[in-house]
Amino acid sequence: MGRGRTGWPVTLTTGSAPVVTLRPLKRSDVAAWRSARQRNAAWLVRWDATAPPGSPPRPVTFRTLVRRLAAAARQGSTLPFAVEVDGRFAGQLTVNNIVRGSAQFASVGYWLDKDFAGRGVMPRAVAMAIDHCFQVAGLHRIEVAIRPENSNSLRVVEKLGLHEVGYAPRFLHIDGDWRDHRLYAITKEEVPLGLLRRLESTSDADPS
């Protein structure tokens, strides 16, 4: 598969410890993905997207999920990453809803195995993804929508310096109902040298 306008497929990595890597999610991740989801079920269920009544069901198998995400990646509408920490599967990050034309916009969603929390993993992963979107995929604005109760995800955008740009009542169907979300965004002009570089140069950035 050749690289399209988004630069996909691509692998991104940081050089400092712990080494955080974003790479394409693949079918061979099935065992690690299932293990992480099972071990973290109680921690993740409150933040998991669900299918609203009357809509097509979400993928019921990991293989179906990967197949759908891969098809969307080929079409240039999604970038589905596995998150690795020091070579171990640690979670998932997806650049969703890539819009071209006059918008050049996308949103980012993610989840992390609790075993890797508190080490600054997800802020670095999100920063790498956003840098790729701005520097390679040609996007201009990235948005992250977070439930007000999700303190861990709020800490990620705070560490990254993303601005809160709005509040969306009943914005996404999460954990079985329509949930309110706080909206955060960043544009390319705000990080001319890259978001990861800005994050790592912030002297008071502590792990989260």
Side-chain angles (χ1 to χ4, degrees):
M1 179 173 58
R3 291 179 182 271
R5 190 176 178 186
T6 60
W8 189 263
V10 65
T11 296
L12 312 170
T13 190
T14 62
S16 53
V19 176
V20 179
T21 300
L22 296 179
R23 58 161 177 79
L25 191 68
K26 53 192 179 182
R27 286 184 295 179
S28 59
D29 290 320
V30 58
W33 188 91
R34 285 177 177 169
S35 175
R37 296 293 304 186
Q38 289 168 358
R39 286 185 289 101
N40 291 272
W43 195 46
L44 296 173
V45 66
R46 292 185 64 198
W47 323 120
D48 277 346
T50 46
S55 64
R58 295 178 62 82
V60 294
T61 68
F62 180 75
R63 291 180 182 274
T64 302
L65 171 67
V66 172
R67 185 168 61 250
R68 291 186 184 179
L69 289 173
R74 289 192 295 270
Q75 295 167 0
S77 62
T78 296
L79 301 177
F81 290 105
V83 180
E84 288 185 346
V85 178
D86 293 334
R88 296 173 57 199
F89 183 90
Q92 188 177 341
L93 182 151
T94 307
V95 180
N96 298 292
N97 307 318
I98 296 175
V99 177
R100 294 296 183 176
S102 58
Q104 300 298 333
F105 158 87
S107 58
V108 171
Y110 47 84
W111 64 267
L112 184 69
D113 187 326
K114 196 173 183 179
D115 288 348
F116 297 92
R119 301 172 62 187
V121 170
M122 197 50 73
R124 293 165 70 194
V126 173
M128 283 194 294
I130 290 176
D131 284 347
H132 177 80
C133 288
F134 288 161
Q135 298 168 6
V136 177
L139 298 177
H140 175 254
R141 182 176 182 272
I142 301 297
E143 185 173 280
V144 182
I146 302 173
R147 287 185 60 183
E149 307 88 348
N150 193 341
S151 58
N152 290 320
S153 281
L154 290 173
R155 181 60 177 150
V156 170
V157 294
E158 289 168 3
K159 284 175 65 67
L160 292 171
L162 273 63
H163 302 294
E164 187 167 5
V165 296
Y167 190 88
R170 301 178 68 81
F171 181 60
L172 293 173
H173 203 270
I174 304 290
D175 189 23
D177 202 355
W178 294 103
R179 309 291 183 178
D180 297 354
H181 281 69
R182 294 170 67 177
L183 305 179
Y184 292 80
I186 189 169
T187 61
K188 185 176 181 179
E189 291 86 353
E190 296 176 63
V191 281
L193 300 179
L195 183 56
L196 181 62
R197 180 172 176 179
R198 187 176 79 176
L199 173 68
E200 294 187 335
S201 67
T202 303
S203 59
D204 62 349
D206 58 338
S208 67

